[in-house]
Each structure stands twice: as structure tokens, then as C-alpha cells.
């Protein structure tokens, strides 16, 4: 039987593109079908405000630096250039040891009141010890004791999850195998408890806890300590940015795919998976509104950073009227959200048991993207070092607890802790000379509100987030020349993230490792022959890492070579 492709890939998010690149490089005929008019999904960049490039999803490239993806796929030869960020983190210091926080009026950090985490552990230790005697030594002990565990987590992320693999990484071959009686109780605790076992100053604890909270669960949730304990990996892999924007990773992957004869179709959403018996044999897709020229460069046409009109999700009414075409393949690999793949694209009789139990949660965070006519200047530190890495704007753990309490009540945080990013400090392609792009991520923001709708409150919540930032960098509001507010309903509508969760599914331990997205489907093979899964819905979860895409490609390549599909 003649088929259109060896493998059809659904979606052009970074994990799907990583899989497609490995498959194409192995000599298979690959066709990628993406619903939006540009590639990258939640790892994409667009010129929303003329002259300013905004990322639409993930911005800090951390986890991918711990993988061999960039080197194995030779992405630098396809235009990817990473810019190293050092310091890794900047945190204004508020002083005191209180852990109460809340929605009361916060004070402004004083000039010089800041700490930095550098790529070099020794430098970080020296500066912490000079500022907070004993805390530098504690940081060194924390990094030394948990680096072996963090490396085991990294190795587990780069493996197909299963009891044998987890046992190999965490028990039999683990550097911690001789101290499991000591380590295991800590691993099972909330990360907000573990930090107290090492550090005494709230000024040091808060930025560590706030970074751990970026995975989703609050500091009080049991079994979450690994979100803190992999902190040593930040020093090993560093934090980096692709020159030109986060979407430069996707563009390099497209170039790699096409250099091996693969095809990438944008504006071509898959509307149904074709099933014969218990086997997926292809896809039905809305007909692309334009063909990709064989010699088109990924930096042009649909493969570029789109402008103000080119980044939006396709119009649903227009799609409903579009003609359909069928494409066949030996296998289909979906990088879409697991609910999209296993529910919307499959008829009820073909869905796996337990699929309704997958939890996307009730939103997570929101991000305000700002175009500024001059650089951000923090009260706590006026130098460019404060603008380079991730800016952890959180007074104390009490502020995180209060924000999460608002979230549980169905309310946007009244006093949001924030992570700010000003990557124009290191990349002059993001804004005009002397100007700035500022992105402010806040937690926690529910998708389903106790009262009202997001379209009614969005502008007010964007203003609240900017007001909170002004406490750290007064005068920022006066510099704004354009903005985009990405709240949970926006994330669902534009980036196909159900209920606005950027991690696809909640990152709780019952939905991690061998249970992501469902028990029995965690090995990237679905319940149907010929259908494979990748993306943030699968192990190891959300974040710009590419491990899921690499793992899934290896599983599928093995099956293709053994003619299991």
C-alpha cells in the first residue's frame, strides 16, 4: 500500500519538531501538520508591536541545555545561536525572617538590596556568605548533597519511564544508593519544608522556593521536593536564550527537518485521526491555504517570526467550512495536548479507558508582555546584571501562599509573586536600539473564575500585574509603548492549552513519570497501534527541554526498524 508519509506529526510545538527532526534525519518521509500559520506552538516568537519581538510561550531555555538535542541535531548549523545568561537569577531582598506575607502593601526593596545566583557555584557561595554569614556555606552543602540526585532526575527525563528505568536511575545505579534512608524522607516532603532544613534566612529561602514553584504545585504539597532538589542543574546547564527569540529554536528545527526532505505544513490543522480496526493509519486535515515552496527558507513565508496579524489561532468558523484532505502514514505521532489527541481527534469508541481522568487543572499563571521605550531599572540594583537573568520578584513564601489561596478561591492573585524577563539586555534583535522588551509572569491565575469572565477582567488584571512590578522598578508604566496580556483563557484560545495550563497536565506526582499522561500510555506508544504521543502531556512534562520529543522519536524509530508499525 502506497502511503503519503512514513510518519505524520501532529503539531509543530518544539517537542513535535524535535521528534520530526530525528525521524527525518534517520531517512523517513515526515510530514508535519500545524494548525497555526507559524511554527513553534508554545515556543514561538512574534512581532506583536512593530519593532518588538515577543515570545508567546516559554522564554528561558534551561532544561534543553541538559540534553544532547541541540548537538545531536546539529541545530547550530541550522541557525540556532544560544546566548548565555549570567547571572542566572536576580532577587531583590526585602529583609527579615517573616513567612506571613499576604495581600498587604509591600515595601520597596532598598538600593543595593539584592542577591544574585551565578552560573559559578563558588562565586554564588562567596557572595551569599559575605551577605548572610552561614548561608553561603549552607548553599554549598545543598548543591553538593543534591547534585547526584539532580543528575539522576536529568537521566530519568532522558529515558522512557518505567519501573526498571526509574529503579536504574534512582536506586541501583544512583549515587544516592548508599544514603537512601536519609534521602528518601526528604524527597517525599514538600519543597517548602526541605528548604528550611538547609537555610535559616528567608531572603535566601524565598528565591529558591519561588523557582521551585514554577513547576506548579505550592510549597506545602507533599512529594514535591524534587522541584527544589534539581536546583543544582541550573549551575550545570545554565540559562540561555536563542538569539532572535524563543521561536528561533523552532525555526532551526524546521530547517533541519526540511534539509532531510521532510515537509512542514502550517495553517493545516488535523481534524481527525483515521482509524482502521485498532490501528491509526493517517489523519484528516483542513486543506492548507497555501503550499510551501520546496526551496523556501524557514525564515520566510510561514516560517518566520510572524507580525501582528500572523500569529493568531485559525478562525473556527472558517475552519469548519474548509475542505478536508486525508493523508496516510505508517505511524502518526501527536505532539498536541493529550486531551486533543485522545478525545477530540478520536471517535468515542477508540478512546482509551481513564482518559477523562487526566487533569489539566484550573489554569496556572498569566504573563504580561511589554514593549518599553527605555530599559528597566530596578531600585534594588540599577546595573545591567539585574536585567540579564531571570528576575525573581517575591517578598517571602507568605506571598506565594497568599497567591495560591486566592487561586483556590477562584480569584486572580491580589498580590502576585512574579518572574520578570528583560532579554533585550543580551539580545539586540528583540527591540529597537535603547528600547526594551519586558515580560512579567505572575502566579496564580485560575482559568475558571468564581465570578465573571476573563474578557471582563483582563485589562484590570494586567494593570494589577504592572502595578506590582512598579514597586520594584518605579516609572516602568511611563515607558510602555505596547502590550499583550496572556491570561488562562487566552492561552487556551491561542495556544491550544486547555484550561490555560502551560504544563498541559498538572505536574503532581500522580501525573508524572510512568503515569503521564495515563498509566499504560507513558512510554510514548498509545493504546492504538500506529499512534504515538509526545509533548508536555507526556514524560517528563512541561518546559523547553525536547526530552519528550527525543524519547518518543527513539521509541518510534525502534518500532519502525522492527516493522512493528
Amino acid at each position: 500500500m502506497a502511503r503519503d508519509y512514513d510518519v505524520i506529526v501532529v503539531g509543530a510545538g518544539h517537542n513535535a519538531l524535535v521528534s520530526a527532526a530525528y525521524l527525518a534525519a534517520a531517512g523517513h518521509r515526515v510530514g508535519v501538520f500545524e494548525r497555526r500559520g507559524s511554527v513553534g506552538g508554545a515556543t514561538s516568537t512574534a512581532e506583536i508591536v512593530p519593532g518588538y519581538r515577543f515570545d508567546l510561550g516559554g522564554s528561558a531555555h534551561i532544561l534543553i541545555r541538559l540534553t544532547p538535542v541541540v548537538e545531536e541535531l546539529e541545530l547550530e548549523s541550522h541557525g540556532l545561536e544560544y546566548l548565555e545568561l549570567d547571572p542566572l537569577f536576580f532577587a531583590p531582598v526585602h529583609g527579615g525572617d517573616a513567612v506571613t506575607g499576604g495581600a498587604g502593601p509591600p515595601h520597596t526593596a532598598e538600593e543595593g538590596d539584592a542577591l544574585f545566583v551565578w552560573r559559578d557555584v563558588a562565586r554564588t557561595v562567596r557572595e551569599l556568605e559575605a551577605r548572610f554569614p552561614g548561608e553561603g556555606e549552607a548553599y554549598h552543602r545543598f548543591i553538593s548533597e543534591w547534585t547526584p540526585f539532580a543528575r539522576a532526575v536529568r537521566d530519568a527525563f532522558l529515558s522512557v519511564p518505567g519501573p526498571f528505568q526509574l529503579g536504574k536511575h534512582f536506586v541501583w545505579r544512583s549515587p544516592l544508593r548508599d544514603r537512601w534512608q536519609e534521602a528518601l524522607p526528604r524527597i517525599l516532603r514538600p519543597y517548602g519544608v526541605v528548604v528550611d532544613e538547609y537555610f535559616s534566612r528567608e531572603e535566601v529561602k524565598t528565591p529558591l522556593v519561588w523557582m521551585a514553584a514554577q513547576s506548579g504545585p505550592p510549597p506545602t504539597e507533599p512529594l514535591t521536593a524534587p522541584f527544589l532538589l534539581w536546583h543544582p542543574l541550573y549551575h550545570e546547564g545554565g540559562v540561555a536564550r536563542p538569539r532572535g527569540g524563543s521561536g528561533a529554536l523552532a525555526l532551526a528545527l524546521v530547517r533541519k527537518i526540511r534539509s532531510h526532505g521532510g515537509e512542514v505544513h502550517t495553517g493545516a490543522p488535523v481534524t481527525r485521526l483515521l482509524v482502521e480496526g485498532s490501528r491509526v493509519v493517517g489523519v484528516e486535515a483542513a486543506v492548507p491555504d497555501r503550499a510551501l515552496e520546496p526551496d523556501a527558507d524557514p525564515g520566510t513565508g510561514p516560517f518566520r517570526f510572524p507580525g501582528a496579524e500572523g500569529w493568531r489561532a485559525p478562525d473556527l468558523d472558517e475552519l469548519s467550512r474548509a475542505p478536508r484532505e486525508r493523508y496516510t502514514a505508517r505511524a502518526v505521532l501527536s505532539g498536541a495536548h493529550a486531551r486533543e489527541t485522545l478525545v477530540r481527534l478520536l471517535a468515542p469508541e477508540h478512546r482509551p479507558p481513564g482518559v477523562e481522568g487526566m487533569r489539566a487543572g484550573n489554569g496556572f499563571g498569566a504573563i504580561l508582555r511589554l514593549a518599553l521605550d527605555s530599559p528597566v531599572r530596578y531600585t534594588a540594583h540599577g546595573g545591567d546584571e539585574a536585567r540579564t537573568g531571570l528576575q525573581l520578584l517575591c517578598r517571602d513564601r507568605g506571598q506565594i501562599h497568599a497567591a495560591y489561596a486566592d487561586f483556590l478561591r477562584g480569584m486572580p492573585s491580589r498580590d502576585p509573586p512574579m518572574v520578570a524577563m528583560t532579554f533585550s539586555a543580551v539580545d539586540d534583535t528583540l527591540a529597537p536600539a535603547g528600547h526594551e522588551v519586558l515580560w512579567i509572569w505572575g502566579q496564580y491565575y485560575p482559568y475558571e473564575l468564581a465570578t465573571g469572565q476573563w474578557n471582563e477582567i483582563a485589562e484590570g488584571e494586567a494593570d494589577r500585574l504592572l502595578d506590582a512590578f512598579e514597586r520594584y522598578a518605579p516609572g516602568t508604566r511611563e515607558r510602555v509603548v505596547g502590550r499583550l496580556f496572556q491570561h488562562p483563557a487566552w492561552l487556551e484560545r491561542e495556544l491550544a492549552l486547555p484550561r490555560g495550563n502551560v504544563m498541559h497536565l498538572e505536574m503532581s506526582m500522580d501525573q508524572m513519570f510512568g503515569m503521564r499522561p495515563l498509566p499504560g500510555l507513558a512510554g510514548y506508544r498509545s493504546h492504538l497501534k500506529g499512534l504515538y504521543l509526545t509533548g508536555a502531556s507526556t514524560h517528563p512534562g512541561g518546559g523547553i527541554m525536547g526530552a519528550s520529543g527525543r524519547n518518543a522519536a527513539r521509541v518510534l524509530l525502534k518500532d519502525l526498524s522492527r516493522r512493528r508499525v
Side-chain angles (χ1 to χ4, degrees):
M1 171 184 173
R3 299 181 180 89
D4 297 302
Y5 301 98
D6 293 325
V7 181
I8 288 173
V9 177
V10 180
H14 84 282
N15 274 301
L17 292 174
V18 165
S19 290
Y22 278 108
L23 292 161
H28 294 286
R29 291 177 298 127
V30 175
V32 179
F33 290 79
E34 163 60 36
R35 73 182 189 115
R36 292 175 60 207
S38 56
V39 297
T43 309
S44 57
T45 301
E47 193 170 307
I48 304 296
V49 178
Y52 299 82
R53 289 179 178 174
F54 289 0
D55 291 340
L56 298 182
S59 294
H61 289 226
I62 301 173
L63 297 174
I64 195 170
R65 310 275 290 170
L66 302 168
T67 78
V69 168
V70 172
E71 292 76 19
E72 288 178 350
L73 294 177
E74 302 171 321
L75 295 183
E76 289 185 356
S77 67
H78 293 281
L80 180 64
E81 179 189 356
Y82 270 120
L83 304 172
E84 301 288 342
L85 306 182
D86 203 14
L88 309 176
F89 308 115
F90 156 76
V93 170
H94 295 275
D97 293 315
V99 194
T100 52
H107 65 273
T108 301
E110 298 297 328
E111 177 68 34
D113 245 2
L115 63 82
F116 293 90
V117 175
W118 302 88
R119 177 81 179 270
D120 179 48
V121 174
R123 180 176 182 181
T124 304
V125 167
R126 285 196 305 272
E127 292 189 4
L128 283 175
E129 191 66 21
R131 181 71 187 277
F132 305 112
E135 296 297 84
E137 184 179 317
Y139 190 84
H140 183 270
R141 181 165 63 91
F142 172 73
I143 296 296
S144 298
E145 289 184 4
W146 290 103
T147 292
F149 173 78
R151 289 172 178 167
V153 171
R154 174 201 60 199
D155 294 343
F157 283 179
L158 291 169
S159 303
V160 177
F164 174 77
Q165 289 293 338
L166 293 179
K168 180 178 73 172
H169 294 303
F170 293 114
V171 183
W172 304 312
R173 297 184 187 175
S174 170
L176 294 176
R177 63 183 176 272
D178 296 328
R179 42 184 293 251
W180 269 107
Q181 286 185 320
E182 172 194 351
L184 185 59
R186 280 181 173 158
I187 292 169
L188 298 178
R189 290 171 188 158
Y191 59 86
V193 171
V194 174
V195 76
D196 288 329
E197 298 173 359
Y198 284 87
F199 304 97
S200 60
R201 298 293 300 236
E202 187 65 21
E203 300 96 324
V204 179
K205 297 175 187 178
T206 295
L208 297 176
V209 168
W210 182 219
M211 269 307 294
Q214 299 311 299
S215 293
T220 53
E221 187 166 314
L223 306 177
T224 58
F227 296 137
L228 171 72
L229 299 179
W230 67 45
H231 180 90
L233 295 180
Y234 297 133
H235 291 285
E236 297 211 346
V239 180
R241 279 282 301 171
R243 182 180 294 279
S246 200
L249 171 63
L251 296 184
L253 286 165
V254 169
R255 292 187 180 101
K256 175 68 175 181
I257 293 163
R258 299 191 62 243
S259 73
H260 292 279
E263 298 176 5
V264 181
H265 304 285
T266 58
V270 170
T271 54
R272 186 162 62 99
L273 296 175
L274 304 178
V275 182
E276 292 181 0
S278 60
R279 180 189 181 96
V280 171
V281 297
V283 302
E284 176 188 85
V287 177
D289 59 1
R290 60 188 172 212
L292 176 65
E293 295 295 329
D295 57 352
D297 183 84
T300 64
F303 300 114
R304 59 174 177 14
F305 295 132
E309 298 303 318
W311 59 272
R312 292 189 178 277
D315 181 83
L316 295 180
D317 289 336
E318 188 177 312
L319 283 181
S320 68
R321 298 189 299 270
R324 305 298 198 253
E325 286 189 6
R326 293 186 170 198
Y327 300 88
T328 58
R330 290 176 65 186
V332 174
L333 173 64
S334 179
H337 193 287
R339 181 165 290 277
E340 171 84 358
T341 304
L342 301 175
V343 177
R344 196 184 74 81
L345 297 181
L346 283 175
E349 63 270 22
H350 298 306
R351 295 170 187 166
V355 70
E356 296 301 331
M358 295 186 300
R359 299 192 328 279
N362 186 32
F364 178 21
I367 188 162
L368 178 61
R369 313 274 184 182
L370 297 171
L372 307 180
D373 62 13
S374 59
V376 166
R377 293 298 173 199
Y378 284 101
T379 302
H381 187 93
D384 287 342
E385 297 94 341
R387 298 169 50 231
T388 299
L390 300 184
Q391 299 137 43
L392 307 180
L393 311 180
C394 180
R395 288 192 311 282
D396 53 40
R397 287 175 289 170
Q399 187 181 11
I400 303 173
H401 299 325
Y404 194 71
D406 287 341
F407 173 79
L408 293 178
R409 288 191 289 265
M411 300 166 48
S413 172
R414 291 170 291 172
D415 178 26
M418 299 167 286
V419 178
M421 292 156 277
T422 48
F423 295 132
S424 43
V426 296
D427 185 356
D428 59 9
T429 70
L430 300 180
H435 292 221
E436 186 94 286
V437 290
L438 165 64
W439 305 324
I440 308 169
W441 165 265
Q443 286 174 221
Y444 291 86
Y445 289 80
Y447 169 83
E448 189 173 327
L449 299 167
T451 58
Q453 302 293 324
W454 268 107
N455 61 354
E456 301 166 347
I457 69 168
E459 289 304 307
E461 291 304 322
D463 288 338
R464 187 199 302 268
L465 201 53
L466 182 52
D467 288 342
F469 184 80
E470 281 264 333
R471 299 169 190 144
Y472 295 91
T476 300
R477 181 181 293 277
E478 300 167 2
R479 302 167 181 159
V480 175
V481 297
R483 76 182 192 179
L484 171 69
F485 184 48
Q486 298 171 283
H487 51 77
W490 188 101
L491 294 169
E492 179 180 71
R493 182 182 70 243
E494 300 294 342
L495 296 183
L497 297 170
R499 299 182 69 80
N501 190 340
V502 296
M503 301 294 185
H504 280 205
L505 302 173
E506 287 189 316
M507 297 275 284
S508 53
M509 283 300 157
D510 65 313
Q511 293 192 140
M512 293 287 285
F513 296 104
M515 294 177 285
R516 191 173 187 90
L518 287 171
L521 301 188
Y524 308 103
R525 298 182 183 92
S526 81
H527 62 300
L528 296 173
K529 190 170 185 179
L531 177 60
Y532 296 77
L533 307 174
T534 190
S537 296
T538 64
H539 172 76
I544 302 171
M545 188 175 194
S548 169
R550 180 177 183 265
N551 293 345
R554 295 174 77 183
V555 168
L556 180 48
L557 284 169
K558 181 184 292 185
D559 287 356
L560 289 166
S561 68
R562 297 179 180 180
R563 299 200 172 273
R564 292 177 178 172
V565 288

